[in-house]
């Protein structure tokens, strides 16, 4: 899974420039979906709104200064304009429920812009979002990995110049 995230950040600039601006990520429908399934056995959900996300950024900022961690500082640059975060993990569900969730999520994301799809050793990740040419940022993107039974939603924006500068440093 870590390799897929690395591939994601390496290929995000290319994928963002290829995306069409019409398809938006259905934030409200994703939120309703998570609410519907959050109490199912085997489902784990983390929701961070504006206040919680700001608090998390503060904790990361303090840790980055204290430990002098350049990776944490780079991460803070990336999430500076992220306003909310959802993590929906359902790996421990019964197989029938996992299949049902995968089908529902695929239908839910059908009209969204697929920025990129990556596969690595049987793991598959789809990245949806909206590239805003005016601000040169990717907004409201969703990382969905049916094989890992995970949905990660970052609501806000990530400037492409920040992604490019971090990748140049690495």
């Amino acid at each position: 899974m870590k390799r897929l995230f690395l591939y994601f950040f390496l290929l995000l600039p290319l994928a963002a420039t290829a995306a069409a601006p019409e398809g938006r990520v259905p934030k409200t429908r994703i939120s309703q979906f998570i609410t519907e399934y959050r109490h199912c056995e085997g489902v784990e959900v983390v929701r961070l709104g504006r206040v919680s996300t700001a608090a998390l950024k503060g904790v990361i900022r303090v840790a980055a200064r204290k430990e002098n961690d350049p990776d944490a500082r780079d991460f803070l640059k990336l999430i500076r304009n992220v306003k909310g975060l959802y993590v929906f993990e359902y790996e421990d569900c019964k197989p029938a429920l996992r299949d049902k969730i995968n089908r529902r999520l695929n239908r839910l994301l059908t009209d969204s812009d697929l920025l990129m799809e990556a596969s690595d050793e049987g793991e598959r990740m789809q990245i949806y979002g909206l590239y805003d040419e005016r601000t040169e940022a990717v907004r409201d993107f969703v990382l969905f990995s049916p094989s890992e039974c995970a949905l990660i939603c970052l609501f806000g924006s990530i400037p492409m110049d920040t992604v490019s500068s971090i990748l140049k440093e690495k």
Side-chain angles (χ1 to χ4, degrees):
M1 188 70 140
K2 288 181 183 179
R3 274 191 274 179
L4 287 175
F5 282 114
L6 178 62
Y7 293 149
F8 165 70
F9 282 112
L10 290 174
L11 296 174
L12 183 62
L14 296 174
T17 58
E22 301 89 39
R24 299 193 186 279
V25 173
K27 288 190 273 191
T28 304
R29 291 192 340 230
I30 288 173
S31 181
Q32 291 168 345
F33 170 85
I34 290 172
T35 299
E36 180 181 341
Y37 284 95
R38 71 177 179 205
H39 296 298
C40 292
E41 186 176 334
V43 170
E44 294 181 35
V45 175
V46 175
R47 284 187 190 203
L48 299 179
R50 287 181 183 266
V51 174
S52 300
T53 303
L56 176 64
K57 290 176 194 177
V59 169
I60 295 171
R61 188 175 298 109
V62 169
R65 284 187 196 138
K66 187 174 183 179
E67 300 295 324
N68 196 21
D69 185 355
D71 290 334
R73 284 194 297 273
D74 289 344
F75 182 68
L76 279 170
K77 288 179 194 174
L78 284 174
I79 65 167
R80 180 181 322 138
N81 296 321
V82 171
K83 306 294 183 211
L85 168 76
Y86 292 171
V87 178
F88 181 83
E89 192 271 327
Y90 53 101
E91 187 174 34
D92 296 332
C93 290
K94 292 181 181 176
L97 182 57
R98 276 198 309 256
D99 292 341
K100 181 179 178 181
I101 289 172
N102 281 335
R103 284 192 308 274
R104 289 271 318 267
L105 285 171
N106 278 317
R107 278 195 313 264
L108 185 69
L109 295 168
T110 297
D111 294 332
S112 300
D113 283 335
L114 179 64
L115 297 178
M116 183 175 69
E117 186 167 16
S119 290
D120 183 37
E121 298 176 8
E123 294 179 9
R124 198 175 100 225
M125 179 181 285
Q126 300 163 330
I127 297 133
Y128 298 88
L130 178 65
Y131 179 69
D132 186 344
E133 290 181 19
R134 186 178 53 78
T135 61
E136 295 185 352
V138 175
R139 291 186 303 143
D140 297 340
F141 61 92
V142 174
L143 295 91
F144 174 46
S145 178
S147 57
E148 291 290 316
C149 302
L151 176 76
I152 301 169
C153 307
L154 299 169
F155 297 118
S157 65
I158 295 180
M160 293 312 302
D161 59 342
T162 303
V163 173
S164 297
S165 68
I166 290 171
L167 291 176
K168 285 178 187 175
E169 292 172 9
K170 303 292 179 194

